[in-house]
Amino acid sequence: MTTSNTPGTGDVDPAVREELARLRDSIDNIDAAVVHMLAERFKATQQVGHLKARHQLPPADQAREARQIARLRSLAENAKLDPAFAEKFLNFIIAEVIRHHERIAEDTGNGAAPTAD
């Protein structure tokens, strides 16, 4: 008789199932924290977008983006996280922020009420 290690078969040691559940609960908590932190970050970047639009500043700031990427890569290295992954993640966020800033600038330039995003 062979023992299956396939989850859901009922053949998994209860202690293993319990440890897996504990780890997954931790992952779920971290995911929730990441989502909330991103929401807070985007609230702040929306304010930056409105300020830039009011003062006719460009949506992107390449010098700041470069500094932020270098900073994040360093933080990632110190945290034992792949710096290339951290850079990809930040570039994704920056692209979304710039998209929001462009829309805010367009709405402000058209005299439209800025949309919440």
Side-chain angles (χ1 to χ4, degrees), residues 11 17 22 26 49-50 52 64 71 99 104-106 116:
D11 294 340
R17 251 190 261 136
R22 184 190 66 76
S26 181
H50 289 288
K52 284 180 171 183
R64 171 154 169 82
R71 180 178 163 270
R99 188 181 70 76
I104 290 167
E106 188 176 291

Side-chain angles (χ1 to χ4, degrees), residues 3-48:
T3 303
S4 172
N5 288 330
T6 305
T9 63
D11 294 340
V12 178
D13 182 329
V16 171
R17 251 190 261 136
E18 185 177 315
E19 179 69 3
L20 186 58
R22 184 190 66 76
L23 291 168
R24 285 179 173 164
D25 284 346
S26 181
I27 291 166
D28 292 349
N29 288 338
I30 293 165
D31 287 348
V34 167
V35 167
H36 288 284
M37 292 301 294
L38 283 171
E40 286 302 310
R41 189 185 196 290
F42 276 101
K43 285 178 190 174
T45 61
Q46 288 294 316
Q47 292 174 3
V48 168

